[in-house]
Amino acid sequence: MLDVQKIRKDFPILNREVNGKPLVYLDNAATSQTPKQVIDVIVDYYQNYNANIHRGVHFLSQEATDKYEQARQKIQKHFNAKKSHEIIFTSGTTHGINLVANGFSSILKKGDEILVSAMEHHSNIVPWQMLAERTGALLKVIPMNEEGELVMDAFHDLLGAKTKLVFCNHISNALGTINPIKEIIESAHTVGAAVLIDGAQAAPHIQADVQALDVDFYTVSAHKMCGPTGVGVLYGKEEWLNKLPPYQGGGEMIAEVTFEKTTYAELPHKFEAGTPNICGGIAFGAALDYMNSIGFQKIAAYEHELLKYATEELLSIEGLRIYGTAQEKTSVISFNIEGVHPYDIGTILDKLGIAVRTGHHCAQPIMDFYKIPGTVRASFCFYNTKEEVDALVEGVKRARNMLL
Ligand code: C6P
């Protein structure tokens, strides 16, 4: 079992008071908190070896370059990518998806089909719509059912010779559903389609093995896994990354530039134009070290316990409905109380020091599916406790009594 009290000491922010109450932070799907081990790495970078990388002959530049490339290797190892140059540093999941969507502009043709799941975050919908507009490709939607699970029969029916790309999240940010991505990837490959899995919500809970999954692209954001904001990675199979054109032009991504012609650098630099988030990349490596020191299996088991407990307790409240009741679920609970707007519940919870997210969670098609304006979303991390779940449940009861 996890020693949660010991773990909580690593997160200074958890000692804060908000509105005169101890902070209960249950907005981890939006962004997770940062342990002091990672904060120390950030401070160390700016205090001791801040320099631009891959450029200077001087000592600091070399030191920063080594640490940055070591972080890339840590990330490669964590996701079991075959080669470190298959790990492209990005500013986060949104950047990674746009990079791939832009690349496929020159590959897709009119009439090609793109499949996207019904439970995507806007960042895994809009770039593909833009791609479809540019290329004349057709965007088709893999439907979901009331429980918030993908209808896999419909997915198999949609797959065909015209399908060139399939996009799906590993875990839904609004519902917590863990999608059957192995089956999706295997089936898509039988028709020759490439698959991008948005791992933004999965990476904090599940250690994905990109080789075992045989996935073509996998994207994550560091800030959801105890790292800083503004950094993430795109994993891409080497053959795909070689096929795709660069996303942005600039320094670092070139081999040779003349006014007549530019040739591009090898992977991963071809996709890393400009000065990257050097400190962020190094801190991402430190965040992975931190999470691995706890252990992903232990994290998953503990969070599952929290999910089970919170689900049972919340369902004891009259009129409360949970959206997303899939068999395979992670520690996200989206809910509403009949007759009450989610924003009002969120506001009262905030007064009690409890941080949740309210609204459409950047997944408006899911809200349209359930015909609701939004939900209250509580999302748990391994540093949350059963006492915090109790505080949430008491807070929701209080909000219900005040608002009805
Ligand atoms: N979801 C949430 O509160 P960025 O912003 O690029 O780091 O991640 C975008 C993103 C992509 N896919 C999924 C499944 C996500 O959950 C997110 C971010 C946050 O649910 C902020 S909107």
Side-chain angles (χ1 to χ4, degrees), residues 152-333:
M152 291 304 282
D153 287 347
F155 164 64
H156 291 292
D157 290 345
L158 283 168
L159 269 183
K162 288 185 181 168
T163 316
K164 295 291 180 278
L165 288 165
V166 177
F167 307 110
C168 185
N169 55 45
H170 193 165
I171 293 180
S172 157
N173 69 317
L175 304 171
T177 310
I178 304 175
N179 284 310
I181 58 164
K182 184 99 178 107
E183 182 182 343
I184 289 172
I185 295 162
E186 269 172 20
S187 306
H189 284 169
T190 62
V191 299
V195 182
L196 180 144
I197 299 294
D198 167 355
Q201 292 294 339
H205 311 287
I206 298 173
Q207 188 173 2
D209 178 331
V210 293
Q211 287 191 72
L213 286 169
D214 195 25
V215 67
D216 301 292
F217 302 100
Y218 195 91
T219 56
V220 303
S221 300
H223 70 92
K224 296 194 196 287
M225 28 193 338
C226 300
T229 54
V231 66
V233 296
L234 163 72
Y235 159 79
K237 274 186 190 162
E238 184 179 31
E239 55 181 290
W240 273 118
L241 293 177
N242 279 329
K243 254 185 245 174
L244 298 189
Y247 180 38
Q248 294 178 319
E252 263 305 286
M253 51 76 73
I254 55 94
E256 241 181 85
V257 180
T258 65
F259 281 112
E260 287 69 43
K261 188 175 165 51
T262 291
T263 51
Y264 304 125
E266 297 291 313
L267 295 174
H269 308 294
K270 173 181 153 188
F271 291 107
E272 295 181 351
T275 301
N277 183 348
I278 303 163
C279 176
I282 295 167
F284 187 7
L288 280 182
D289 284 345
Y290 180 79
M291 292 194 70
N292 279 313
S293 74
I294 297 172
F296 274 77
Q297 280 187 351
K298 279 190 187 169
I299 287 173
Y302 178 70
E303 288 175 346
H304 189 75
E305 219 180 274
L306 280 183
L307 172 70
K308 196 164 163 279
Y309 180 64
T311 303
E312 283 164 9
E313 294 296 309
L314 283 169
L315 284 176
S316 71
I317 299 172
E318 204 187 324
L320 187 143
R321 173 176 174 187
I322 291 178
Y323 299 89
T325 51
Q327 285 293 321
E328 298 294 325
K329 229 192 118 165
T330 190
S331 51
V332 167
I333 303 183

Side-chain angles (χ1 to χ4, degrees), residues 40-258:
D40 288 348
V41 166
I42 295 169
V43 172
D44 182 40
Y45 172 81
Y46 283 109
Q47 276 186 351
N48 294 310
Y49 64 99
N50 176 28
N52 213 326
I53 55 168
H54 300 137
R55 285 163 167 83
V57 286
H58 62 81
F59 186 88
L60 289 192
S61 173
Q62 198 51 54
E63 190 172 343
T65 303
D66 289 348
K67 293 248 169 68
Y68 191 69
E69 290 307 323
Q70 279 161 17
R72 193 192 304 275
Q73 283 164 11
K74 274 182 201 170
I75 297 164
Q76 172 204 355
K77 192 164 162 251
H78 179 79
F79 292 103
N80 193 29
K82 208 185 280 176
K83 303 189 174 138
S84 67
H85 60 243
E86 292 176 317
I87 300 295
I88 310 294
F89 276 113
T90 62
S91 66
T93 298
T94 306
H95 177 183
I97 294 173
N98 277 280
L99 186 160
V100 178
N102 179 76
F104 271 91
S105 295
S106 55
I107 294 177
L108 286 195
K109 290 190 288 303
K110 194 165 189 273
D112 284 344
E113 291 180 0
I114 303 172
L115 301 189
V116 62
S117 102
M119 63 174 86
E120 295 308 306
H121 185 280
H122 296 162
S123 68
N124 210 19
I125 300 175
V126 184
W128 310 120
Q129 279 174 332
M130 290 160 65
L131 174 66
E133 271 170 29
R134 283 198 297 270
T135 58
L138 232 65
L139 194 70
K140 294 194 163 179
V141 181
I142 310 162
M144 63 180 230
N145 62 22
E146 276 291 312
E147 286 71 38
E149 291 168 323
L150 291 178
V151 182
M152 291 304 282
D153 287 347
F155 164 64
H156 291 292
D157 290 345
L158 283 168
L159 269 183
K162 288 185 181 168
T163 316
K164 295 291 180 278
L165 288 165
V166 177
F167 307 110
C168 185
N169 55 45
H170 193 165
I171 293 180
S172 157
N173 69 317
L175 304 171
T177 310
I178 304 175
N179 284 310
I181 58 164
K182 184 99 178 107
E183 182 182 343
I184 289 172
I185 295 162
E186 269 172 20
S187 306
H189 284 169
T190 62
V191 299
V195 182
L196 180 144
I197 299 294
D198 167 355
Q201 292 294 339
H205 311 287
I206 298 173
Q207 188 173 2
D209 178 331
V210 293
Q211 287 191 72
L213 286 169
D214 195 25
V215 67
D216 301 292
F217 302 100
Y218 195 91
T219 56
V220 303
S221 300
H223 70 92
K224 296 194 196 287
M225 28 193 338
C226 300
T229 54
V231 66
V233 296
L234 163 72
Y235 159 79
K237 274 186 190 162
E238 184 179 31
E239 55 181 290
W240 273 118
L241 293 177
N242 279 329
K243 254 185 245 174
L244 298 189
Y247 180 38
Q248 294 178 319
E252 263 305 286
M253 51 76 73
I254 55 94
E256 241 181 85
V257 180
T258 65

